[in-house]
């Protein structure tokens, strides 16, 4: 069969890096201690003495990570949001509460009932949310409850709100006769230095408001039970407020819990458009997250990306709601090249009038625009705008630019060396370079292995030492090294000259993140352009139809290291980096996910393994895949002579750096699979299950065909490396070796 060379390719999954040396210390993974959970039940008891009401409180608790250490309980607590000195420690799981039986109108301190609360504390010191029971006099009236819904209150932080907004709440009366809803609500807005309280007192002792105003809550605003909201407008900018609402039932009992997580809202008023939900914008090869959200008066694009002409372009986004946002509900709208972001003119056609704002929608989290048709090979520039709005009126704007162009693809092949091996060293005044040290290869040895013309004397080596032809000898190609490259990353204009690009990143280089100008070991281009807020030029190159081969056991982890979460990285005795879709690392907007189509989970490690041809569903009909070497085997004295000035221990290596899919990763398009597995690692010290695909070929319709090889091309037997190179360059890409390899001379360009 002839392999499909249509414009389409992206692998899927992407993993993150590995702790790749025995001498490297393993990290201790710290997982946040989740709080325990507690439930409470109450039942009546015969009174212990005349004139009292007794109730039995029983509770149970569980901890997701360990055990419950003890409990804290309080009767009529001064604050529910924290466990102060009014709470009592106990190891028991029950408590008998006896209080004087009074008529509701004559209860002490104006209270219409009593409150019992309990918390669980786990072995790590984490506290559960309080469970509580409220009850009234001897008639056992159960007081109502009320919860502010929007803005969402919090006992941990104040909310930020515009000068005009609406507050919504809901109430429940569990023992109501005619309705299970409260019959009325009373509310009040407290300002700092008010006549009765200042805000610091209310924040320190929330229950002081109840004790001062109960049971009548005189002079508070009152609404019927069918009214569950209030609007405020023109509040003072930069002022702080506390809003409190209380529910009343048919028996006259009021909601006794006063808490900043239920019926009390602490907030600060801010300038309109000065704060909004932070936006994240992403597309193929870029992802940008704003540190904060706002609508600046003169918005500038956060970044400018390159995109292909003559095809539709899809961009996506989302925003992070504030804790005060109502159930996290957000809505969005977008525009392209809008002349004035303040222009609220509706679109004449929602699908095509991109130069006006789209309708607000909570589902508007992506848009497809284009195709764009610039003349010839010229660039055409556009600007994309997104607005996010939360229910309380906080709004933010995101914007980015994009340039569309066509690639000329005048030349066949560019090989990009994005590795970071040891450069040659020379001790002056010696005219020759020092003998190579450390593990093979050094940077110069890698160049020789890949590119040497062969049969030429090796300068400064023992007399008669002749160079061996490199594994690419005979192909017509240019080379480009990223070490010391101005700007670190090759420009798209350079890549667009080539129909095919082979990009090499070794494992150790993937972890490099030094200053781009560091002369000793600068950051690799793949790592640099994968950092948050930067643009991966390879995504634009592949989107324009350029065909890419990623190899070297470091490309995937270099792309995802900036997004790694250590909670799923393996710990001793299994040292590996893991990049998972389920863990939010391998997701849309990341190059390996979008373009390579590695989309489930992948790992990177160094291990003793066998790398075997593994064709999966194509095993019975391999077609041209049968031209792949059956194995990629480590070198031996019999297969690969020792290079000059090298020792066996540094040259014949038994361990391999690998990146491999560790979960199933099936990519289907048009009813068929479009991601083929070519090789898989197995056996040896590989500690993971049977799924370890580490070379794939994507040939779908989402981008140009792409080959991903999760091992390097230089630590295996030369003959097998040549056979693998010939397969990709000849069978996949349609290139050919020169019949006289000595005539093929690579040129290094920048």
């Amino acid at each position: 069969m002839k392999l499909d060379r249509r414009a389409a390719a992206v692998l899927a999954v992407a993993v993150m890096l590995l702790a790749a040396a025995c001498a490297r210390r393993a990290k201790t993974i710290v997982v946040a201690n989740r709080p325990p959970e507690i439930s409470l039940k109450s039942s009546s008891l015969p009174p212990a003495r005349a004139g009292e009401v007794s109730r039995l409180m029983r509770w149970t608790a569980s901890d997701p990570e360990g055990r419950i250490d003890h409990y804290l309980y309080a009767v009529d607590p001064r604050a529910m949001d924290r466990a102060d000195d009014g709470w009592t420690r106990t190891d028991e799981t029950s408590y008998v509460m006896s209080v004087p039986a009074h008529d509701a109108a004559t209860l002490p301190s104006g209270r219409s009932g009593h409150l019992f609360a309990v918390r669980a504390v786990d072995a790590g010191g984490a506290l559960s949310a309080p469970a509580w029971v409220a009850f009234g006099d001897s008639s056992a009236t159960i007081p109502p409850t009320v919860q502010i819904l929007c803005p969402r209150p919090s006992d941990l932080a104040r909310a930020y709100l515009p000068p005009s907004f609406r507050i919504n709440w809901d109430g429940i009366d569990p023992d109501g006769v005619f309705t299970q809803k409260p019959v009325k609500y009373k509310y009040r807005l407290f300002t700092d230095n008010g006549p009765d309280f200042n805000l610091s007192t209310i924040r320190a002792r929330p229950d002081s408001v109840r004790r001062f105003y109960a049971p009548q809550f005189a002079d508070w605003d009152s609404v019927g039970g069918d009214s569950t909201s209030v609007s405020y407008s023109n509040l003072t900018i930069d002022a702080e407020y506390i809003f409190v609402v209380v529910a009343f039932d048919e028996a006259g009992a009021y909601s006794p819990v006063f808490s900043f997580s239920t019926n009390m809202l602490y907030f600060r008023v801010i300038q309109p458009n000065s704060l909004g939900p932070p936006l994240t914008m992403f597309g193929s090869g870029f992802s940008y997250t704003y540190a904060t959200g706002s609508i600046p008066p003169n918005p500038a694009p956060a970044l400018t990306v390159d995109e292909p002409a003559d095809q539709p372009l899809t961009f996506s986004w989302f925003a992070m709601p504030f804790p005060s946002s109502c159930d996290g509900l957000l809505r969005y709208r977008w525009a392209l090249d809008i002349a004035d972001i303040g222009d609220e003119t509706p679109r004449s056609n929602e699908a095509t009038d991109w130069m006006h704002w789209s309708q607000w929608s909570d589902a508007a989290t992506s848009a497809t625009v284009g195709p764009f048709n610039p003349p010839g090979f010229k660039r055409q520039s556009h600007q994309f705008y997104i607005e996010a709005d939360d229910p309380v009126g906080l709004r933010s704007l995101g914007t980015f630019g994009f340039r569309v162009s066509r690639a000329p693809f005048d030349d066949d092949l560019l090989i990009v060396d994005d590795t970071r091996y040891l450069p040659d060293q020379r001790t002056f005044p010696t005219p020759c370079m020092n003998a190579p040290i450390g593990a093979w290869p050094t940077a110069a040895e890698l160049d020789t292995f890949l590119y040497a013309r062969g049969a030429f004397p090796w300068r400064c080596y023992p007399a008669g030492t002749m160079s061996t032809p490199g594994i690419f000898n005979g192909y017509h190609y240019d080379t480009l090294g990223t070490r010391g490259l101005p700007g670190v990353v090759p420009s798209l204009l350079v890549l667009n000259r080539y129909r095919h690009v082979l990009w090499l990143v070794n494992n150790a280089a993937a972890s490099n993140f030094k200053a781009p100008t560091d002369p000793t070991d600068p950051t690799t281009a793949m790592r640099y352009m994968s950092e948050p807020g930067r643009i991966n030029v390879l995504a634009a190159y592949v989107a324009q139809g350029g065909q890419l081969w990623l190899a070297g056991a470091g490309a995937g982890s270099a792309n995802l290291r900036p997004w790694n979460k250590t909670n799923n990285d393996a710990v001793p005795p299994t040292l590996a980096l893991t990049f998972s879709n389920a863990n939010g690392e391998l997701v849309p907007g990341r190059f390996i996910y979008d373009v390579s189509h590695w989309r489930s989970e992948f790992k990177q490690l160094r291990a003793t393994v066998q790398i075997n041809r593994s064709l999966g569903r194509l095993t019975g009909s391999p077609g041209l895949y049968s031209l792949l070497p059956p194995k990629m085997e480590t070198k031996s004295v019999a297969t690969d002579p020792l290079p000059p000035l090298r020792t066996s221990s540094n040259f014949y290596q038994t361990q391999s750096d690998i990146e491999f899919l560790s979960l199933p990763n099936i990519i289907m398009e048009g009813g068929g699979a479009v991601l083929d597995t070519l090789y898989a690692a197995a056996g040896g010290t590989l500690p993971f299950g049977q799924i370890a695909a580490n070379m794939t070929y994507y040939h779908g319709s989402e981008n140009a065909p792409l080959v991903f090889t999760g091992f390097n091309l230089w630590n295996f037997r030369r003959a097998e490396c040549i056979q693998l190179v010939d397969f990709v360059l000849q069978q996949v890409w349609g290139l050919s070796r020169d019949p006289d390899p000595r005539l093929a001379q690579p040129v290094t360009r920048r």
Side-chain angles (χ1 to χ4, degrees):
M1 68 177 179
K2 183 64 178 176
L3 295 186
D4 187 353
R5 300 179 59 203
R6 297 168 299 152
V10 176
L11 298 190
V13 180
V15 170
M16 270 186 132
L17 213 62
L18 139 81
C22 295
R24 186 179 301 179
R25 292 185 179 179
K27 295 180 180 178
T28 299
I29 297 175
V30 179
V31 179
N33 183 19
R34 290 179 292 173
E37 298 179 353
I38 191 168
S39 61
L40 172 65
K41 292 184 178 181
S42 169
S43 58
S44 297
L45 289 176
R49 289 179 293 272
E52 288 187 340
V53 174
S54 297
R55 297 189 72 86
L56 174 64
M57 310 295 179
R58 291 185 179 274
W59 55 88
T60 59
S62 62
D63 183 60
E65 288 114 1
R67 62 179 180 83
I68 302 298
D69 186 76
H70 62 276
Y71 304 95
L72 298 172
Y73 72 88
V75 176
D76 297 333
R78 292 170 295 189
M80 290 283 283
D81 297 330
R82 61 185 180 277
D84 57 20
D85 56 7
W87 293 67
T88 302
R89 174 175 175 147
T90 183
D91 295 324
E92 303 296 328
T93 57
S94 64
Y95 178 80
V96 175
M97 181 173 172
S98 296
V99 295
H102 294 275
D103 291 334
T106 59
L107 282 172
S109 303
R111 181 182 289 277
S112 65
H114 294 277
L115 189 67
F116 177 85
V118 63
R119 291 175 180 261
V121 184
D122 69 12
L127 274 73
S128 71
W132 56 272
V133 170
F135 60 95
D137 59 8
S138 57
S139 64
T141 297
I142 301 176
T145 61
V146 63
Q147 173 70 58
I148 298 174
L149 302 177
C150 182
R152 178 69 65 181
S154 170
D155 60 341
L156 301 176
R158 65 186 173 189
Y160 292 89
L161 302 174
S164 301
F165 62 94
R166 177 183 295 270
I167 298 176
N168 296 280
W169 62 81
D170 189 30
I172 298 175
D173 179 19
D175 63 347
V177 177
F178 300 103
T179 177
Q180 273 67 58
K181 292 291 185 180
V183 296
K184 70 175 179 180
Y185 299 95
K186 286 195 172 186
Y187 61 87
R188 182 164 183 169
L189 187 65
F190 290 88
T191 61
D192 210 358
N193 300 315
D196 301 323
F197 289 97
N198 57 39
L199 300 191
S200 59
T201 299
I202 300 176
R203 289 166 57 197
R205 294 179 175 270
D207 196 56
S208 61
V209 176
R210 181 201 59 76
R211 293 197 304 271
F212 187 84
Y213 292 104
Q216 300 301 323
F217 295 91
D219 299 326
W220 285 38
D221 293 307
S222 180
V223 293
D226 56 348
S227 296
T228 56
S229 67
V230 62
S231 294
Y232 290 100
S233 61
N234 301 318
L235 296 183
T236 303
I237 301 293
D238 294 331
E240 293 188 343
Y241 300 85
I242 291 177
F243 173 83
V244 185
V245 60
V246 182
F248 290 81
D249 67 10
E250 299 162 335
Y254 64 85
S255 49
V257 173
F258 280 65
S259 164
F260 282 102
S261 60
T262 56
N263 71 324
M264 308 177 79
L265 176 68
Y266 170 44
F267 64 93
R268 182 182 183 89
V269 177
I270 59 173
Q271 289 279 0
N273 299 332
S274 65
L275 186 66
L279 272 160
T280 293
M281 313 174 296
F282 60 95
S284 180
F286 81 93
S287 177
Y288 185 89
T289 300
Y290 286 89
T292 59
S294 67
I295 300 184
N298 298 301
L303 73 168
T304 300
V305 300
D306 288 296
E307 298 290 348
D310 308 318
Q311 58 184 276
L313 306 175
T314 298
F315 305 113
S316 303
W317 56 87
F318 64 87
M320 293 301 295
F322 290 109
S324 59
S325 183
C326 312
D327 296 322
L329 296 177
L330 300 173
R331 60 178 188 162
Y332 306 92
R333 64 178 183 174
W334 64 273
L336 177 69
D337 296 332
I338 188 171
D340 177 7
I341 62 172
D343 182 4
E344 297 293 339
T345 303
R347 287 186 174 183
S348 58
N349 184 300
E350 191 67 23
T352 60
D353 183 10
W354 303 329
M355 298 181 70
H356 293 98
W357 286 113
S358 65
Q359 296 180 11
W360 287 106
S361 171
D362 58 359
T365 55
S366 67
T368 299
V369 295
F372 301 94
N373 311 109
F377 298 108
K378 293 185 178 180
R379 285 180 170 179
Q380 187 181 88
S381 296
H382 300 272
Q383 193 153 335
F384 197 91
Y385 299 86
I386 306 157
E387 277 194 350
D389 177 70
D390 81 355
V392 299
L394 300 179
R395 189 174 294 184
S396 57
L397 174 74
T399 179
F400 63 90
F402 64 92
R403 300 171 297 199
V404 293
S405 61
R406 297 182 183 89
F409 293 145
D410 295 326
D411 297 319
D412 273 335
L413 175 62
L414 175 68
I415 303 176
V416 178
D417 183 349
D418 201 19
T419 65
R420 292 294 182 268
Y421 285 111
L422 184 67
D424 277 349
Q425 306 290 322
R426 185 171 73 175
T427 304
F428 291 97
T430 305
C432 295
M433 293 296 175
N434 299 342
I437 59 175
W440 188 91
T442 63
E445 288 175 317
L446 179 60
D447 285 347
T448 300
F449 180 79
L450 298 178
Y451 312 126
R453 293 180 61 191
F456 282 86
W458 215 329
R459 187 167 63 91
C460 292
Y461 275 63
T465 302
M466 307 297 286
S467 62
T468 302
I471 64 173
F472 289 98
N473 188 41
Y475 289 104
H476 294 265
Y477 59 88
D478 293 341
T479 64
L480 187 150
T482 61
R483 187 196 296 264
L485 184 69
V488 186
V489 179
S491 72
L492 185 62
L493 295 177
V494 170
L495 298 180
N496 278 350
R497 288 162 37 194
Y498 300 91
R499 286 182 286 275
H500 310 95
V501 170
L502 167 58
W503 193 288
L504 303 172
V505 188
N506 65 311
N507 170 24
S511 63
N512 266 20
F513 192 58
K514 299 181 180 179
T517 55
D518 188 324
T520 59
D521 207 12
T523 298
T524 57
M526 178 64 82
R527 172 67 188 269
Y528 181 83
M529 63 186 174
S530 300
E531 288 292 314
R534 295 205 175 104
I535 305 159
N536 193 314
V537 296
L538 285 175
Y541 169 77
V542 174
Q544 293 179 121
Q547 298 194 37
L548 178 65
W549 182 9
L550 292 172
S557 52
N559 177 240
L560 287 187
R561 254 195 179 274
W563 313 94
N564 186 39
K565 299 176 182 178
T566 59
N567 65 306
N568 65 343
D569 290 343
V571 294
T574 303
L575 295 175
L577 289 179
T578 301
F579 306 96
S580 167
N581 174 265
N583 200 39
E585 300 156 300
L586 187 59
V587 295
R590 313 281 156 80
F591 177 80
I592 297 301
Y593 181 98
D594 291 334
V595 183
S596 300
H597 288 81
W598 282 28
R599 294 180 172 175
S600 56
E601 178 183 277
F602 78 88
K603 297 178 182 290
Q604 186 201 57
L605 54 70
R606 183 172 180 82
T608 301
V609 295
Q610 292 82 51
I611 297 178
N612 305 317
R613 186 174 64 201
S614 178
L615 305 182
R617 70 186 189 283
L618 301 174
T619 300
S621 55
L624 289 180
Y625 290 154
S626 63
L627 299 177
L628 287 162
K631 298 178 182 293
M632 297 299 295
E633 301 171 284
T634 55
K635 302 184 293 290
S636 68
V637 175
T639 61
D640 293 80
L642 193 67
L645 307 181
R646 272 292 179 181
T647 63
S648 296
S649 60
N650 287 334
F651 182 68
Y652 299 114
Q653 301 171 30
T654 59
Q655 289 195 319
S656 302
D657 295 318
I658 57 172
E659 295 178 326
F660 61 93
L661 289 163
S662 46
L663 288 176
N665 193 91
I666 299 172
I667 305 297
M668 303 291 292
E669 295 179 21
V674 293
L675 184 69
D676 297 343
T677 296
L678 306 185
Y679 283 93
T685 59
L686 190 68
F688 303 99
Q690 73 281 9
I691 301 169
N694 64 348
M695 182 170 177
T696 58
Y697 175 59
Y698 172 79
H699 51 88
S701 61
E702 293 183 355
N703 51 257
L706 188 146
V707 180
F708 189 100
T709 303
F711 52 86
N712 65 47
L713 306 180
W714 45 90
N715 274 10
F716 302 94
R717 297 181 181 182
R718 176 185 294 269
E720 293 170 350
C721 292
I722 292 173
Q723 189 177 352
L724 181 62
V725 165
D726 286 345
F727 172 80
V728 176
L729 270 59
Q730 296 180 27
Q731 306 304 323
V732 180
W733 286 353
L735 305 180
S736 59
R737 285 189 189 266
D738 197 294
D740 185 354
R742 290 173 297 173
L743 300 179
Q745 298 187 40
V747 178
T748 299
R749 295 183 182 175
R750 291 187 179 177

